[in-house]
Amino acid sequence: MIIALNNKCNLTKQEFLKYQEELEKLSTKYKLILCPTFLNIAHYNLENVELGAQNVSPKAPGAVTGEVAAIQLKEEQVKYCIVGHSERRNYQHETDEEINQKIMRLLEQDIIPILCVGETKEEREKQLEKSIIEKELEIALENLTDEQKQKIIIAYEPIWSIGTGIIPTNDQIKEMFKTIKQILPNNKVLYGGSANEENVVLLKEIEEIDGYLLGGLSLKPEKLKIFIEKLEN
Ligand code: 13P
């Protein structure tokens, strides 16, 4: 089981240093991955948690102002990197083609991409949820060898569930995991979207879930501890 923590654009340096003191106390048999802001990556100092990033440049190092290249993440001990998060697709207009390039850059540096896919509320209302994630996967994974594809972690994050407190039904989640696992039978698939220390009792009934990508809960170590305990027991 993988528990990946997406801090999004939160925590100043001082807050992050305190936060790490709390995370340091977490003890679990699961793999913990922390994805802080780029600046906080430089202050990472944990032994029980592996390091991830939230984004990477689709291009090689060079004249690309404002970007951070995969080789630079590698040097900071980054082992994982989120790509294609819906917030970046939405606010930064990130395309599936760019996401494909980012995955290539990460794999060149042996950094494992955590590829986010998911549908909007409108897309689900039109029953397009499966075709949306199939298209996202198809373009994001274009030109990758089977060996490369297998390294990628997929995160199913229904956009209508992120930060809303609403989670899909277990049947809805199972359907989407089935769709993903039909395309990528050997990949780990995470669930993300309003997962918390209360609804974890429902979510843990879903055998297909290989882990979680947590946003809001990642910022609350006390509740995160309860989440992990409930998952383990
Ligand atoms: P929330 O857990 O805050 O809904 O965010 C999920 C998410 O976007 C993780 O990447």
Side-chain angles (χ1 to χ4, degrees):
M1 184 74 61
I2 296 168
I3 301 186
L5 309 174
N6 178 5
N7 283 172
K8 306 192 179 183
C9 187
N10 288 293
L11 305 178
T12 62
K13 174 183 168 184
Q14 289 310 324
E15 287 166 348
F16 183 73
L17 294 176
K18 270 198 178 152
Y19 169 76
Q20 285 196 118
E21 286 174 18
E22 295 303 314
L23 286 194
E24 204 172 22
K25 295 179 201 158
L26 287 179
S27 116
T28 169
K29 60 184 178 198
Y30 301 145
K31 182 193 282 291
L32 294 174
I33 303 170
L34 173 62
C35 305
T37 63
F38 278 140
L39 285 173
N40 283 340
I41 281 177
H43 308 301
Y44 160 80
N45 179 25
L46 289 171
E47 284 179 3
N48 57 334
V49 182
E50 292 193 77
L51 185 59
Q54 298 174 18
N55 185 33
V56 66
S57 172
K59 299 198 186 303
V64 274
T65 303
E67 293 286 357
V68 175
I71 194 169
Q72 293 160 336
L73 295 177
K74 178 81 177 174
E75 220 172 41
E76 296 295 330
Q77 318 307 323
V78 167
K79 305 266 189 314
Y80 300 85
C81 182
I82 297 170
V83 284
H85 193 282
S86 58
E87 287 151 12
R88 295 200 58 84
R89 292 179 192 259
N90 186 13
Y91 304 134
Q92 270 75 35
H93 310 292
E94 217 168 85
T95 64
D96 290 312
E97 287 77 9
E98 277 169 329
I99 292 162
N100 173 256
Q101 289 172 8
K102 291 180 182 206
I103 290 175
M104 295 288 193
R105 294 277 102 84
L106 291 169
L107 291 174
E108 281 165 13
Q109 298 301 327
D110 278 329
I111 297 173
I112 298 176
I114 302 176
L115 169 62
C116 301
V117 296
E119 79 287 355
T120 62
K121 189 166 177 278
E122 292 72 29
E123 287 160 348
R124 181 165 278 272
E125 278 164 3
K126 292 185 191 150
Q127 300 182 337
L128 293 174
E129 65 274 12
K130 286 186 198 160
S131 56
I132 290 293
I133 63 166
E134 280 164 359
K135 182 186 144 274
E136 286 177 337
L137 289 174
E138 186 188 333
I139 306 176
L141 304 179
E142 209 168 291
N143 297 324
L144 264 68
T145 64
D146 284 346
E147 198 190 334
Q148 286 176 318
K149 281 184 195 168
Q150 282 184 24
K151 291 184 182 158
I152 297 173
I153 297 171
I154 308 296
Y156 170 56
E157 296 207 315
I159 298 166
W160 49 278
S161 179
I162 296 176
T164 60
I166 301 166
I167 58 165
T169 63
N170 284 15
D171 283 347
Q172 286 173 326
I173 295 177
K174 280 185 190 184
E175 270 296 295
M176 298 305 272
F177 271 59
K178 199 169 125 198
T179 305
I180 296 167
K181 293 198 176 204
Q182 264 163 5
I183 302 169
L184 299 165
N186 299 315
N187 291 57
K188 295 256 182 274
V189 187
L190 316 182
Y191 170 76
S194 293
N196 63 34
E197 77 289 358
E198 285 170 12
N199 57 32
V200 65
V201 283
L202 272 178
L203 292 167
K204 74 184 275 196
E205 288 172 9
I206 307 171
E207 279 175 15
E208 291 86 345
I209 293 182
D210 299 309
Y212 295 87
L213 182 53
L214 304 172
L217 198 72
S218 81
L219 302 169
K220 300 173 191 143
E222 287 283 302
K223 292 186 172 175
L224 178 61
K225 184 168 174 267
I226 299 170
F227 178 92
I228 294 170
E229 281 167 2
K230 286 194 181 173
L231 206 55
E232 278 182 335
N233 296 309

